[in-house]
Amino acid sequence: MYWLILISFLILLAISFVVSNPGNKLIKNKKNKTHLLDVLSSYMGGFLLVIIVYLFVSASNGKEAFDIGIDFFNANRWNFASGMGNHRSILDEFVFGFVFTYIIIFIRRQYKKQN
């Protein structure tokens, strides 16, 4: 699951770089460009929530520091087996952060339309 999330994020990031070049007609509709940026922002919100949660967890477990290589980039922690034994899943926090960020963006955009 980790590789699927990471590769989809990198593909969307590359598409947004290509689309942002002036004169590029890959995505002509402005709404689609805005939606692409919303999804990229939601990815970043999910990643940020995972890092914040693991910073708090590492402080409570008695570890000296949060090791992003072991805790974040470990592909075994990005599966659906949350709550089974001592194994923690990062996927739960990522999905919550992704959805929460997307809802905030949606509500903000609806609020701007009314004013």
Side-chain angles (χ1 to χ4, degrees), residues 19 27-37 109:
V19 168
I27 298 178
K28 297 176 184 179
N29 192 355
K30 188 177 179 182
K31 280 186 173 184
N32 291 341
K33 290 180 185 179
T34 306
H35 184 66
L36 178 67
L37 290 176
R109 184 159 293 123

Side-chain angles (χ1 to χ4, degrees), residues 77-101:
R77 295 187 182 217
W78 287 85
N79 55 13
F80 292 108
S82 180
M84 296 182 171
N86 292 331
H87 182 74
R88 277 187 55 99
S89 175
I90 296 176
L91 191 62
D92 299 337
E93 287 93 3
F94 176 79
V95 170
F96 179 77
F98 184 91
V99 171
F100 186 76
T101 306

Side-chain angles (χ1 to χ4, degrees), residues 5-18:
I5 292 172
L6 185 63
I7 290 172
S8 65
F9 173 71
L10 292 175
I11 288 171
L12 286 174
L13 191 62
I15 290 172
S16 71
F17 283 144
V18 169

Side-chain angles (χ1 to χ4, degrees), residues 48-67 71 88 93:
L48 184 66
L49 184 71
V50 167
I51 290 174
I52 289 172
V53 165
Y54 267 82
L55 281 172
F56 285 120
V57 168
S58 68
S60 68
N61 286 342
K63 288 184 184 177
E64 291 183 17
F66 173 71
D67 188 4
D71 292 333
R88 277 187 55 99
E93 287 93 3

